[in-house]
Amino acid sequence: MPTPLFDIEGLQSALLAGRTVLTPNRRLARHIGDAWAQHCHRQGHEAWRQAPIQTIDTWLEQLWQTLEDCAYAACLTHSVVNSHAERLIWEQVIDNDPDKPATIDAPVFARLTQTTLQQLQRWQVPLREVANSGHEASQHFLRWQNQFAVTMDSKGLLTGAQSQALILHAFNEGILAKHESVLLVGFQTPPPPLSQHILAAAFTEVSYWTEAKAPGAQQLYTATSDTDEITAAAQWAFAQIQSSPEHNIGVVFPNLSSQRHRVDRIFRETFTPNYCLPNAPHDIPPFNLSAGISLADSPLAVSALSLLNLQHSPHPLQFYCQLLNDPFWGHADNEQITRAHCQLLLRKSRKPRPGTADFRYWMQQAEQACSATNLLSQGLQQVEEKRRRQPATATFRYWAEHFSADLDLLGWPGTRSLDSIEYQQLQLWFEILDELAHLDHAIDPVNVRQALAQLNRICRERIFQPEGVDSAVQVLGVLEAAGLHFDKLWLAEMHDNQWPQTPVFNPLLSVSLQRQYGMPKSSAETELGLAQQLLADFSGHCQHIVFSFAQRDGDSERQITHLLSDALPRFHRPEIPDGHPLLANLAKPQLEKLPVDQAPTLTASETIRGGSAILRDQARCPFNAFSVWRLGAEPLPEPEFGFSAIERGNAVHRSLELFWQACKDHGALISLDEVAQSALLRESIASCLALYKSQRPELFGPRYSELEAQRLQHLLTAWLKIERARKPFVVRALEQQVSFQLDQLDLSLRVDRVDQLADGSTVLIDYKTGGASITGFTAERPEEPQLLLYALAMDGSLAALCFGQISATKGIAIKGIGSQALVADGLTDLADAGLADNWPENLHLWRQRLSGLANDFCQGHAEMAVYSSTVADYQSYLFPLNRWFETLNVTRATVDEAAEADN
């Protein structure tokens, strides 16, 4: 058996005498029971009487059940409302109050008023004193409380405090028998006055158990930050348990609940550094962490709530993607390909917020495309048909059964076996549904959205703490650790903002009234006394204690609490010796480096479908070109609100194509006056947008259509002004498809526009809705090879290669190389651009360079070399594959090591 966390010696005589022991929390009660069991076992007993140890709340609940069993009058006419139902009644009362302030948020104030009434009843504060306090907010509370009391009485309901008052009355009447004595263990402050009165009525003798022990050895550790403090505590706990496995180690964080995830992560990284690897089992950690998580954040409940919320669409695309990756519904192990294909189809549908009908449709399409069974789409369809038949309003019990039936149809919680933690989550989920059904005591029937909102709220407020075997390392909050005994203890957050805590007043009650009755957190003196008592108990319940605090919280400085002496011996994190298990846990894995420069050569049977982008990618980064064009790596489409950049560019291309189909040449253009040109352009834009309207009706409403038409009209009018200033030309081809073979590559090219000049020469134009530059024409590795390939593929003499830059941000301009005298002002002569002064020689040079890129691609040259910074802008989705940034870090590290060696 593990060493108990409670010293039973001082309680032995009381437990042998059969005295009742009450504790403030379950953890302490359990550890006292474990210590008693071990004591009896050591005495040689094979069986022993269970000690009467329980929490005070459990004891009070048992008393109420006793009254129910003996048919006490109040139990026959009233029942105790649960916390969620009580808050629903408060919300209704506040919502229906015509005199409530306009800024009141009913759900928020329902929680506050519920807590306020509990405190008033348990501290036995007369309502007349609240009314006479003169506190303005109290008047609102009293008005709500009066209506709340009427509602509760009409429904035959009692609050928990009211049931305790009836227990007190039953003792005074002699209905409940009085016992000899009770021992209160672990109470840092006395129970509320109502509980004290019940104890006095229930027992002849009420006493508090205390133990006086000399403080153990003390040290102080000053951390640089909160993370450093948590890390030091984790490493200390790991080292302690490695050197003395039989010891009980405690680590206490006063704010454990608020930083639970960080504490859990750092302790796991220290104790089990491989826990986050894909093949690591989903196990309970080798330390006990007292702070649980909200059930709504647990994987199984997240899955159930997402499936139930599925019908209330639309949802963001990310919602459906997470649902498709959820293993807790359907036959996930057999449906991975189908689910992945459904996600791709959803993304390609370009809807940022698809509806449930879209999800069902694309699931059907994915199943057909993958030749899979239609179990997923069938389940979704059955839930939809069931939804159409559901009543407008119903009881919470009906909705609880309805939700369970929906989850069954969707195959929740999946077909694979649940592990221990998941099974515990499942059992708690069933308890939550039972709680939901009991809300019928509170309000009338509700609709499905209201019922689902309550289910979400109950899950958010229920804390899930996985149960497991007790560990020798306990990570606890202050109240959970109070009363427990450790061999060694680390007490964190010992700064002046935490010890002692500042008073926190209830805003609905006057401060003087709260102090008068000693209500919780109403007095600085009380908080100081509590802090001193806790420190004394912690120091006396361990052989060695390390206090710690972080010097900084962001930009704020902290000081050690005045309750500790700054002269305490300092704790220094020791150097970890070679061979120590902690050193192995913290060691970084050595990465294996594999050569990836050479890919398999392109074979005749391997078909590559693409155009100039193949050579563009090979010029920018050979490894990326191999990944995209041979491995098929492509980014997942990300739907956007409105037009994407690609769609905006396509709209410009299509509108100009339609315009020039009607206009034909430069002469026809300049013959149009401003009104006629604007009308033709408007007609071309309208024809272009008509296609988008049919594809995306949810986007193209009247207002958006008008805005997009105005944008295109403005941009293209500015571009046509440049076209008007050009020398005469005839448009010979628009969006012309051209096939071109370069070495082994069969490239499919599309020329945006081909113009013919009066002398028969040709001008090639490529529209750009971003920036455009002619520097690529002279580069060894041309990044924008479209125009160069077009020039090589076209017959006839060339006059110019031009970019038509049509951008709201980069400007409207024509850029290119060729003769200004023949084409337009603004072009750069060949020689001035750094090229030969004749086209044949340049064409030969471009063929050599582009052939070199094509040959490298076909031969499998795939080194991870970045020749253009645009890789980071346009191919960042490949970073997980090419690991460019890791390469940069390795390179910098190598350079730094070399520099140190030289020095």
Side-chain angles (χ1 to χ4, degrees):
M1 289 184 178
T3 305
L5 288 171
F6 187 86
D7 187 354
I8 201 66
E9 181 180 355
L11 282 181
Q12 289 178 22
S13 58
L15 294 174
L16 286 171
R19 292 185 67 181
T20 299
V21 175
L22 299 180
T23 67
N25 59 67
R26 288 189 177 92
R27 183 179 295 273
L28 181 57
R30 177 167 60 85
H31 286 300
I32 296 175
D34 291 344
W36 171 250
Q38 289 196 33
H39 167 74
C40 294
H41 180 73
R42 287 194 300 268
Q43 297 300 313
H45 300 299
E46 294 183 0
W48 53 86
R49 185 184 64 182
Q50 183 177 358
I53 306 167
Q54 56 189 333
T55 68
I56 189 170
D57 289 336
T58 301
W59 175 69
L60 290 170
E61 290 172 2
Q62 290 178 352
L63 290 175
W64 180 256
Q65 291 172 2
T66 301
L67 290 177
E68 289 181 325
D69 292 341
C70 65
Y72 186 56
C75 297
L76 297 176
T77 57
H78 292 78
S79 59
V80 180
V81 70
N82 69 35
S83 175
H84 300 289
E86 181 181 349
R87 197 181 316 161
L88 275 178
I89 296 175
W90 277 113
E91 285 184 23
Q92 279 191 325
V93 167
I94 296 173
D95 268 335
N96 295 333
D97 178 20
D99 298 324
K100 69 176 183 294
T103 57
I104 287 292
D105 184 357
V108 173
F109 271 80
R111 178 189 289 271
L112 180 59
T113 51
Q114 181 181 17
T115 302
T116 302
L117 184 60
Q118 289 175 356
Q119 292 178 345
L120 292 175
Q121 291 176 336
R122 290 176 179 172
W123 267 259
Q124 297 189 308
V125 181
L127 290 178
R128 65 177 179 275
E129 293 199 23
V130 178
N132 295 334
S133 66
H135 190 58
E136 181 180 355
S138 295
Q139 306 310 311
H140 296 296
F141 167 76
L142 290 171
R143 188 172 64 254
W144 297 332
Q145 187 278 330
N146 181 63
Q147 185 58 46
F148 173 81
V150 171
T151 304
M152 290 282 286
D153 187 60
S154 67
K155 295 178 179 291
L157 299 175
L158 297 172
T159 65
Q162 285 176 318
S163 70
Q164 293 177 18
L166 289 173
I167 292 172
L168 176 60
H169 187 65
F171 272 116
N172 292 334
E173 289 182 335
I175 297 172
L176 292 174
K178 195 165 189 173
H179 299 275
E180 289 186 5
S181 63
V182 65
L183 196 57
L184 303 184
V185 179
F187 286 84
Q188 306 302 323
T189 58
L194 178 57
S195 299
Q196 295 181 47
H197 292 158
I198 296 174
L199 290 168
F203 298 97
T204 304
E205 179 187 358
V206 179
S207 55
Y208 291 84
W209 182 78
T210 57
E211 54 180 339
K213 291 193 175 183
Q218 299 181 355
Q219 287 183 293
L220 177 64
Y221 176 72
T222 303
T224 56
S225 65
D226 290 339
T227 299
D228 174 53
E229 183 179 22
I230 298 170
T231 303
Q235 294 180 4
W236 172 85
F238 184 82
Q240 297 301 320
I241 208 62
Q242 290 292 318
S243 60
S244 303
E246 74 282 1
H247 281 177
N248 282 319
I249 309 301
V251 183
V252 176
F253 293 96
N255 285 321
L256 181 58
S257 59
S258 64
Q259 55 180 350
R260 180 202 183 279
H261 294 292
R262 180 164 53 170
V263 171
D264 183 44
R265 173 180 57 80
I266 292 175
F267 268 75
R268 283 181 184 266
E269 289 173 350
T270 303
F271 282 75
T272 54
N274 295 329
Y275 82 98
C276 58
L277 297 180
N279 59 348
H282 186 211
D283 289 337
I284 296 173
F287 52 86
N288 282 346
L289 183 63
S290 68
I293 62 172
S294 167
L295 181 64
D297 294 330
S298 66
L300 209 66
V302 167
S303 173
L305 294 173
S306 297
L307 290 170
L308 294 176
N309 278 293
L310 179 61
Q311 301 303 313
H312 307 295
S313 59
H315 296 287
L317 175 66
Q318 187 63 26
F319 172 87
Y320 299 99
C321 295
Q322 291 175 352
L323 199 59
L324 288 167
N325 290 314
D326 180 356
F328 296 112
W329 68 292
H331 297 71
D333 290 341
N334 301 326
E335 298 162 349
Q336 293 180 0
I337 296 177
T338 302
R339 294 184 183 212
H341 194 68
C342 179
Q343 181 178 157
L344 184 61
L345 293 176
L346 274 169
R347 290 178 176 276
K348 287 184 175 180
S349 69
R350 298 182 296 182
K351 289 186 177 181
R353 294 180 63 84
T356 306
D358 298 312
F359 185 55
R360 289 197 306 273
Y361 173 77
W362 292 120
M363 181 64 75
Q364 279 185 329
Q365 297 302 307
E367 289 170 341
Q368 292 176 9
C370 299
S371 300
T373 61
N374 58 351
L375 293 178
L376 288 174
S377 59
Q378 275 186 354
L380 293 169
Q381 185 60 40
Q382 288 171 348
V383 170
E384 172 61 18
E385 292 172 357
K386 186 166 167 285
R387 183 191 67 82
R388 294 171 184 168
R389 299 192 303 269
Q390 71 189 21
T393 59
T395 63
F396 281 103
R397 182 167 297 279
Y398 172 89
W399 291 123
E401 296 172 353
H402 176 84
F403 295 151
S404 291
D406 281 356
L407 293 175
D408 287 342
L409 290 173
L410 295 172
W412 184 87
T415 55
R416 70 173 179 83
S417 298
L418 300 179
D419 61 33
S420 173
I421 296 177
E422 293 164 349
Y423 182 77
Q424 293 178 49
Q425 293 171 5
L426 180 63
Q427 297 308 306
L428 188 54
W429 171 263
F430 292 142
E431 293 180 21
I432 291 294
L433 288 180
D434 189 56
E435 283 189 38
L436 181 70
H438 281 81
L439 295 184
D440 286 330
H441 297 299
I443 60 175
D444 296 331
V446 296
N447 62 39
V448 64
R449 286 182 179 272
Q450 292 170 318
L452 192 53
Q454 292 304 317
L455 179 61
N456 275 274
R457 185 165 76 177
I458 295 173
C459 288
R460 284 197 308 271
E461 296 178 2
R462 176 62 69 90
I463 299 301
F464 170 70
Q465 176 66 45
E467 297 179 3
V469 179
D470 263 340
S471 167
V473 177
Q474 303 282 329
V475 184
L476 307 167
V478 169
L479 296 181
E480 292 92 350
L484 300 182
H485 293 245
F486 300 95
D487 295 297
K488 295 183 179 180
L489 179 66
W490 184 293
L491 187 54
E493 302 178 39
M494 298 303 301
H495 50 81
D496 51 0
N497 293 335
Q498 183 65 46
W499 294 83
Q501 293 192 351
T502 56
V504 180
F505 301 107
N506 187 324
L508 296 181
L509 302 173
S510 70
V511 173
S512 60
L513 186 69
Q514 295 177 61
R515 287 176 172 169
Q516 177 186 345
Y517 282 89
M519 298 176 76
K521 294 186 175 296
S522 61
S523 166
E525 293 78 11
T526 302
E527 294 302 310
L528 175 61
L530 176 59
Q532 292 171 330
Q533 180 64 45
L534 285 169
L535 282 181
D537 288 347
F538 284 134
S539 299
H541 288 173
C542 64
Q543 302 170 12
H544 180 265
I545 185 170
V546 178
F547 300 106
S548 69
F549 79 101
Q551 288 181 310
R552 301 195 68 83
D553 177 19
D555 295 332
S556 303
E557 288 195 14
R558 292 169 171 160
Q559 300 295 327
I560 186 174
T561 172
H562 67 274
L563 301 178
L564 291 178
S565 169
D566 191 44
L568 284 174
R570 290 303 193 263
F571 170 82
H572 300 284
R573 293 163 68 175
E575 293 292 332
I576 304 173
D578 292 340
H580 193 283
L582 184 57
L583 192 64
N585 281 6
L586 299 178
K588 293 183 178 180
Q590 294 297 316
L591 299 179
E592 182 182 2
K593 299 178 182 178
L594 299 175
V596 294
D597 291 355
Q598 185 61 47
T601 302
L602 186 67
T603 63
S605 60
E606 188 175 354
T607 302
I608 302 295
R609 299 184 183 278
S612 62
I614 298 175
L615 302 184
R616 176 201 65 194
D617 290 342
Q618 185 72 20
R620 291 176 175 176
C621 176
F623 183 85
N624 284 4
F626 169 73
S627 301
V628 172
W629 297 103
R630 296 188 64 187
L631 297 183
E634 62 180 24
L636 288 175
E638 289 291 343
E640 303 176 25
F641 288 99
F643 258 10
S644 66
I646 292 177
E647 289 172 321
R648 286 194 296 270
N650 290 340
V652 167
H653 280 67
R654 180 58 178 162
S655 297
L656 284 175
E657 179 185 6
L658 293 171
F659 179 86
W660 287 112
Q661 283 177 355
C663 194
K664 306 294 186 184
D665 56 34
H666 180 262
L669 174 64
I670 62 175
S671 68
L672 297 174
D673 59 20
E674 183 177 346
V675 175
Q677 175 185 295
S678 179
L680 179 57
L681 190 56
R682 189 161 46 250
E683 181 182 343
S684 302
I685 292 171
S687 299
C688 168
L689 294 182
L691 176 62
Y692 290 106
K693 289 180 182 180
S694 64
Q695 295 174 341
R696 304 183 63 181
E698 80 287 350
L699 172 63
F700 275 90
R703 181 60 177 158
Y704 187 85
S705 299
E706 179 62 26
L707 289 174
E708 185 58 29
Q710 289 178 7
R711 183 187 75 85
L712 290 170
Q713 188 85 14
H714 173 76
L715 285 175
L716 301 187
T717 299
W719 169 249
L720 290 178
K721 184 177 181 180
I722 294 175
E723 296 268 34
R724 281 176 170 271
R726 284 181 54 189
K727 305 303 185 287
F729 62 85
V730 176
V731 178
R732 290 300 184 193
L734 294 166
E735 305 295 332
Q736 182 178 2
Q737 295 289 338
V738 177
S739 294
F740 181 65
Q741 184 168 0
L742 192 63
D743 292 339
Q744 287 181 252
L745 287 179
D746 289 323
L747 301 177
S748 177
L749 309 176
R750 187 177 67 178
V751 183
D752 290 344
R753 187 167 137 203
V754 180
D755 289 354
Q756 187 176 34
L757 304 183
D759 65 352
S761 59
T762 300
V763 177
L764 301 180
I765 300 177
D766 186 39
Y767 298 129
K768 291 291 185 183
T769 52
S773 172
I774 65 171
T775 56
F777 294 148
T778 59
E780 289 289 334
R781 303 177 67 89
E783 288 185 43
E784 296 291 345
Q786 302 100 310
L787 283 176
L788 307 185
L789 288 168
Y790 299 161
L792 294 175
M794 297 296 294
D795 295 326
S797 62
L798 280 174
L801 301 180
C802 301
F803 291 117
Q805 180 177 286
I806 309 173
S807 171
T809 55
K810 302 294 184 179
I812 312 295
I814 185 168
K815 299 180 179 181
I817 55 175
S819 170
Q820 293 190 31
L822 293 175
V823 184
D825 295 338
L827 298 187
T828 303
D829 290 333
L830 296 178
D832 293 339
L835 295 167
D837 60 0
N838 64 87
W839 287 105
E841 189 173 340
N842 290 319
L843 291 173
H844 178 72
L845 175 66
W846 292 334
R847 181 179 290 274
Q848 282 185 323
R849 290 176 175 176
L850 294 176
S851 294
L853 292 175
N855 182 66
D856 286 348
F857 179 82
C858 295
Q859 294 302 314
H861 294 174
E863 68 271 23
M864 185 52 227
V866 176
Y867 295 97
S868 170
S869 60
T870 55
V871 167
D873 297 327
Y874 299 110
Q875 292 185 323
S876 59
Y877 67 92
L878 290 173
F879 288 161
L881 183 62
N882 63 37
R883 300 168 77 168
W884 181 36
F885 285 114
E886 295 179 43
T887 304
L888 290 178
N889 291 336
V890 170
T891 303
R892 289 170 185 163
T894 305
V895 172
D896 292 342
E897 290 174 3
E900 290 179 6
D902 292 340
N903 294 334

